[in-house]
Amino acid sequence: MPHTLSYLPFRKAAVLGAGVMGAQIAAHLANAGLEVILLDIPPKEGPKNGIVEAAFKKILKMKPAPFVDSAAPRRITTGNFEEHFHLLKDAEWVIEAVIEHLAIKQQLMARLEETLPAHTIVSTNTSGLPIHQIAEGRSPAFKKRFLGTHFFNPPRYLKLLEIIPTPDTDPALLNKLKWFGRVHLGKSVVIAKDTPNFIANRIGTYSIMQAIRAFTSGEYTIEEIDALTGTLIGHPKSATFRTADVVGLDTLKYVGENLYQAIPHDESREAHRPPELMVKMVDNGILGAKSRKGFYQKVGKEILSLNPQTMNYEPAKPLNLGDLESLAKSGGLKKRIAALYADRGRAGAFTRQSMLDLIGYAARRVPEIADHPADIDRAMCWGFGWEMGPFQLWDTLGFERVLKDLQAAGITLPQWVAEMRQAGHDAFYREIDGQPAAYVPGKGYRPEPVFADQIDLPAISRRKESVLFERSEGALLNLGDGVALFEFRSKANTLSQDVVEGVFQAIDYVEQHDFHGLVIGNSGRNFSVGANLGEAGHVLQAGKFEVLEQMTKRFQDMVLRVYYARKPVVTAVQGMVLGGGCELLMHCAANVAALESYIGLVELGAGLIPAGCGSTHLAARAAQQAASDFPSQVQPFLIKAFETIATAKVSTSAREAIELGYLKPEALIVMNADRRIAVAKTEVLRLSQQGYMPPPARKAILVMGKPARATMEAAAYQMQQGHFATAYDRFLAQKLAYVLTGGELSGPAYVDEQYLLRLEREAFMDLLKEPKTHERVKSILTTNKPLRN
């Protein structure tokens, strides 16, 4: 790949078409910091911006939110094609997302060629039309800067960006878009061929339609198929039918019908034709979530499913899949899939049939839709949220075993599979000279893409020379260049006692050896969901309160060890960063956070208050934020911290976490989570090279005393009276207010850090003796849901 130092990020972009996809693409470009022009056609009647303004208002209310913070919407300028088309002359990248009608798109391209300067890149977000046909009739110069960029819905949250060049696309332009998409939009990019529905939708639609046919044939129920096609096999929990309802049955029908017409050469094209039941449902206005009924319908608190004979909705019938619970507990994903595939009951029969069918279809699409089988795997994982693509699945089950089963099932395979076997290759993925490689038909194994700004922690963990020490639930790894990383390996990356001790050990090691500093991070979906409540729950059940107090004090000491470390400690976070994980984050020298980081102090949901230095830190920070030490200046910041903790507010993005005070204002936010470890490593080096000094001891923290506590207690009372909080919520908020304002102090005073930490511990231990706290802890441990009691 060309050196990226020569690339300049886009500053201004435009999206044409404010439909569901166009408006959300515009939102995500704004999330990335671009100025965005969003245009649509004027309506036949009313204000000429009527359509675009309605679309913009809709995305402001959409859930999950397309925007990452309150500033992003202000970067979008709306307009219409009639009055504002001239604004496009300032855009560096124009994305077309209008109706899927070839003639309309071609007319728009002609108008763009007349309007845009020669350097502007133009792309189409079409999902069903041939890319090259959209640019027909345009000049060679226009075609050089034209290509497809297929975002997945919702664009903020789904990683996949399929980029589809035409034979005329300038390779330099293609490389710049790949770089910008990965670094600045947070996308995982796959280069797709200009074939119908490209890669992910071609394979994904096939998989969904085949699963639906297993229902319409009467072999399996809706609930059984969803049980077998969801998290059990590493797919999203929405599985098949909930996914279909969310996507929209009319959309699925449209995609299937269009694809069927577009692939006369596909030997399996009949599989893409929508089943008669789906056609009937759409004809009767049963469209899924948008019509509040699809394959499922929620009535009150009960979820009903469709009876295809009566077209009525009925309660779910018991699953007839054998001991599915034991299969689910058979181990990690690879072990679960192996157990399901080997099962001799109905669950195993469905799994074998569906997996073999999918693997065979994906193999037959190489090289039609992709030259590299790995690109199909990547597209399915990044676009559909699968943990394994079809060829990764084949490797997991065993190459020879699956090949034998495919042949026994009469599933046709392309010639390249036979050639692969004849060449002695028995896996699609392997390591060669310590580097990951993937099989490419006709070429053998080729190295997997490697980016200088991405660090593969699992690969580092496999190299013995890079492991500095290991514990039962953590390890210290050498990232090179004098930077180490402490990795959590506990369940859900909880901060167990072993992880806490591992942090102490890691900082000691880094300070005593030739290292610039330490990164704390991991490769899990979530950085940390907080303290190990299960561990604490066992001690609580035994009534060993002195042990719990020792554990709490040790946790506080660990956080302070991070805060006062002689070498910089930088966190690299992603996903959920809750409770103790948030407290650890707040005390590091610097923060690097993936945009999709959901950060919060949620202890009140467990009937507790933050007692891992979190309450102390926010009390100290309130005084630091104020323009002076006058109580009237400090109190608004303290009240904001109180409200944030008392409502267990979790940020919806890393950007919002800055607004809430969980992240430092200068925190580095990376759009692509895969870059966070490398960026954190760079930050350690920067801090070290500029001459890092730990912060001075917090000897004089200004607290507000009883007057501020009274204000907070009044706010808690109002929350209860407004039915936003229970009586116990109010009680917890009063405990929190007591700590944040310095306990029994009659007015503003300066206290040291240890004074507030003692208040934290005492309040925490008092709450652990409350029956309602026990109920809340039990609810989280048994149902994984907070209890409002």
Side-chain angles (χ1 to χ4, degrees):
M1 186 172 177
H3 206 289
T4 57
L5 288 178
S6 60
Y7 295 146
L8 296 175
F10 299 115
R11 298 297 298 146
K12 193 165 191 175
V15 179
L16 307 182
V20 172
M21 281 303 293
Q24 289 191 82
I25 291 170
H28 195 56
L29 293 172
N31 290 338
L34 279 72
E35 291 182 58
V36 185
I37 303 161
L38 177 62
L39 304 184
D40 209 320
I41 59 173
K44 293 179 180 178
E45 296 179 355
K48 291 188 177 181
N49 272 8
I51 291 174
V52 70
E53 291 295 344
F56 186 69
K57 288 177 182 176
K58 186 176 180 180
I59 60 170
L60 288 173
K61 299 176 181 178
M62 193 177 285
K63 299 294 181 184
F67 292 107
V68 297
D69 61 11
S70 57
R74 295 193 291 271
R75 288 192 280 271
I76 295 180
T77 300
T78 56
N80 63 81
F81 289 172
E82 187 176 307
E83 297 176 309
H84 304 110
F85 212 78
H86 66 279
L87 297 178
L88 301 181
K89 70 180 187 305
D90 296 325
E92 300 165 87
W93 179 17
V94 174
I95 301 172
E96 172 273 306
V98 301
I99 188 171
E100 290 286 86
H101 190 290
L102 182 59
I104 291 174
K105 289 181 185 286
Q106 288 175 334
Q107 291 165 14
L108 189 56
M109 292 303 134
R111 192 175 176 189
L112 285 173
E113 185 168 18
E114 293 175 357
T115 304
L116 299 177
H119 66 270
T120 304
I121 296 170
V122 180
S123 68
T124 174
N125 187 60
T126 184
S127 58
L129 297 174
I131 303 295
H132 67 279
Q133 287 185 14
I134 294 173
E136 275 184 3
R138 307 279 55 79
S139 68
F142 183 90
K143 290 179 179 180
K144 282 184 67 175
R145 54 191 172 113
F146 176 77
L147 71 171
T149 49
H150 184 218
F151 291 81
F152 276 66
N153 189 19
R156 171 184 165 185
Y157 299 96
L158 285 184
K159 290 178 65 175
L160 180 61
L161 173 61
E162 291 176 321
I163 298 183
I164 310 97
T166 73
D168 300 306
T169 304
D170 183 346
L173 177 153
L174 173 64
N175 284 326
K176 176 172 180 175
L177 270 185
K178 285 167 59 179
W179 166 79
F180 187 84
R182 184 180 69 85
V183 173
H184 292 283
L185 297 182
K187 296 301 174 186
S188 296
V189 177
V190 170
I191 303 301
K193 294 187 176 183
D194 191 5
T195 56
N197 283 44
F198 314 126
I199 299 176
N201 279 344
R202 182 77 170 272
I203 302 296
T205 302
Y206 180 89
S207 175
I208 289 173
M209 292 297 190
Q210 290 296 76
I212 291 174
R213 281 191 175 83
F215 166 61
T216 58
S217 67
E219 298 174 63
Y220 292 84
T221 67
I222 286 175
E223 289 81 7
E224 286 173 337
I225 293 169
D226 271 357
L228 294 171
T229 59
T231 55
L232 193 63
I233 62 167
H235 288 194
K237 62 182 180 181
S238 54
T240 296
F241 293 98
R242 284 189 175 85
T243 296
D245 281 352
V246 170
V247 170
L249 304 187
D250 53 339
T251 301
L252 269 179
K253 174 177 174 287
Y254 173 82
V255 169
E257 289 173 343
N258 276 16
L259 189 53
Y260 177 82
Q261 295 297 329
I263 52 172
H265 58 282
D266 187 328
E267 76 294 327
S268 303
R269 72 188 293 232
E270 283 297 326
H272 291 281
R273 192 197 291 269
E276 288 183 16
L277 175 63
M278 183 183 288
V279 175
K280 184 178 180 181
M281 291 169 74
V282 173
D283 288 346
N284 285 282
I286 302 172
L287 308 178
K290 66 182 75 173
S291 64
R292 299 192 175 182
K293 59 180 180 179
F295 287 106
Y296 288 105
Q297 183 180 31
K298 187 174 183 180
V299 178
K301 293 185 177 181
E302 190 175 12
I303 305 293
L304 310 179
S305 58
L306 183 72
N307 180 324
Q309 277 74 45
T310 65
M311 296 300 285
N312 293 323
Y313 290 87
E314 301 173 352
K317 296 174 183 175
L319 302 182
N320 180 22
L321 297 174
D323 191 1
L324 207 59
E325 188 174 344
S326 294
L327 289 170
K329 294 179 179 178
S330 55
L333 178 59
K334 290 184 177 182
K335 288 183 178 179
R336 292 201 307 272
I337 286 174
L340 262 175
Y341 191 85
D343 177 68
R344 304 322 300 173
R346 294 178 74 245
F350 177 89
T351 300
R352 286 188 296 278
Q353 180 183 347
S354 60
M355 287 185 176
L356 291 173
D357 183 46
L358 173 68
I359 288 170
Y361 186 71
R364 294 193 300 273
R365 300 284 69 77
V366 177
E368 179 201 344
I369 65 174
D371 291 326
H372 298 201
D375 279 341
I376 293 179
D377 283 345
R378 283 189 276 265
M380 298 316 301
C381 292
W382 295 337
F384 277 71
W386 295 4
E387 292 184 47
M388 283 189 194
F391 299 101
Q392 292 164 320
L393 193 61
W394 195 336
D395 273 5
T396 295
L397 294 170
F399 184 85
E400 286 295 332
R401 178 188 187 185
V402 170
L403 185 60
K404 180 181 176 182
D405 290 348
L406 286 164
Q407 292 167 342
I411 294 174
T412 304
L413 290 172
Q415 179 60 29
W416 66 262
V417 175
E419 293 169 357
M420 177 182 174
R421 188 187 186 205
Q422 288 165 8
H425 303 312
D426 60 358
F428 290 94
Y429 298 91
R430 62 175 44 171
E431 279 197 4
I432 298 176
D433 298 327
Q435 297 299 319
Y439 181 78
V440 180
K443 296 180 180 179
Y445 291 95
R446 291 291 182 268
E448 288 280 72
V450 175
F451 299 102
D453 61 351
Q454 292 182 196
I455 292 176
D456 185 347
L457 284 186
I460 291 174
S461 298
R462 290 193 294 269
R463 296 199 291 267
K464 290 184 179 180
E465 68 275 13
S466 296
V467 181
L468 301 171
F469 70 71
E470 285 188 286
R471 303 176 60 91
S472 61
E473 295 188 334
L476 186 67
L477 308 177
N478 189 345
L479 298 182
D481 300 316
V483 180
L485 176 138
F486 183 67
E487 178 184 37
F488 307 161
R489 294 179 177 176
S490 52
K491 185 177 180 181
N493 291 327
T494 54
L495 296 168
S496 64
Q497 291 183 78
D498 188 77
V499 169
V500 168
E501 296 306 317
V503 173
F504 278 109
Q505 185 182 356
I507 295 174
D508 288 345
Y509 190 101
V510 166
E511 288 184 343
Q512 294 164 14
H513 293 80
D514 192 19
F515 283 91
H516 290 288
L518 176 70
V519 174
I520 297 179
N522 55 64
S523 55
R525 179 170 295 178
N526 300 308
F527 174 76
S528 176
V529 297
N532 188 326
L533 275 181
E535 196 174 64
H538 289 305
V539 181
L540 181 63
Q541 271 190 325
K544 297 180 179 179
F545 288 98
E546 70 284 354
V547 175
L548 282 170
E549 186 164 10
Q550 291 167 8
M551 289 168 61
T552 305
K553 177 67 164 61
R554 189 62 173 165
F555 192 97
Q556 288 181 334
D557 290 344
M558 178 272 290
V559 172
L560 293 178
R561 183 73 177 97
V562 169
Y563 187 64
Y564 293 117
R566 303 293 184 90
K567 293 181 179 179
V569 179
V570 177
T571 43
V573 305
Q574 76 289 343
M576 289 191 288
V577 189
L578 304 178
C582 178
E583 291 174 299
L584 174 63
L585 167 84
M586 293 191 298
H587 285 81
C588 286
N591 311 133
V592 176
L595 181 73
E596 299 305 332
S597 295
Y598 313 114
I599 305 172
L601 294 172
V602 295
E603 285 84 352
L604 269 77
L608 301 164
I609 69 161
C613 305
S615 299
T616 296
H617 182 82
L618 288 180
R621 189 171 180 273
Q624 292 168 353
Q625 288 177 296
S628 73
D629 286 352
F630 287 112
S632 61
Q633 298 280 332
V634 177
Q635 190 160 308
F637 293 102
L638 193 62
I639 294 293
K640 181 181 177 184
F642 167 75
E643 291 173 348
T644 299
I645 302 173
T647 56
K649 176 74 173 177
V650 176
S651 73
T652 57
S653 70
R655 294 258 176 78
E656 190 185 27
I658 293 176
E659 296 176 1
L660 294 173
Y662 295 139
L663 278 176
K664 300 175 188 295
E666 66 275 15
L668 299 176
I669 297 175
V670 292
M671 296 291 286
N672 191 324
D674 295 337
R675 300 180 63 240
R676 69 189 183 278
I677 302 294
V679 173
K681 175 184 173 182
T682 302
E683 187 67 357
V684 167
L685 293 171
R686 182 190 68 80
L687 290 168
S688 175
Q689 288 163 5
Q690 74 180 24
Y692 180 74
M693 280 287 288
R698 295 183 286 201
K699 296 288 188 182
I701 299 171
L702 179 61
V703 293
M704 294 290 98
K706 286 184 178 179
R709 190 169 100 210
T711 301
M712 293 178 185
E713 290 178 345
Y717 173 76
Q718 292 296 329
M719 290 288 287
Q720 183 191 359
Q721 292 300 109
H723 303 291
F724 298 108
T726 66
Y728 197 60
D729 289 330
R730 180 185 171 193
F731 173 74
L732 295 169
Q734 289 170 335
K735 283 282 188 182
L736 174 64
Y738 182 85
V739 174
L740 289 176
T741 56
E744 293 296 339
L745 297 173
S746 60
Y750 289 96
V751 299
D752 69 14
E753 178 176 75
Q754 288 301 323
Y755 175 86
L756 286 177
L757 292 177
R758 177 176 57 79
L759 290 182
E760 275 190 6
R761 287 198 307 276
E762 290 173 352
F764 188 82
M765 295 307 301
D766 287 345
L767 290 171
L768 281 173
K769 297 171 185 175
E770 293 286 341
K772 287 187 179 294
T773 289
H774 293 189
E775 293 169 7
R776 291 193 176 196
V777 171
K778 182 180 179 181
S779 175
I780 291 171
L781 290 174
T782 56
T783 69
N784 202 30
K785 294 179 181 179
L787 173 70
R788 296 293 303 279
N789 56 356

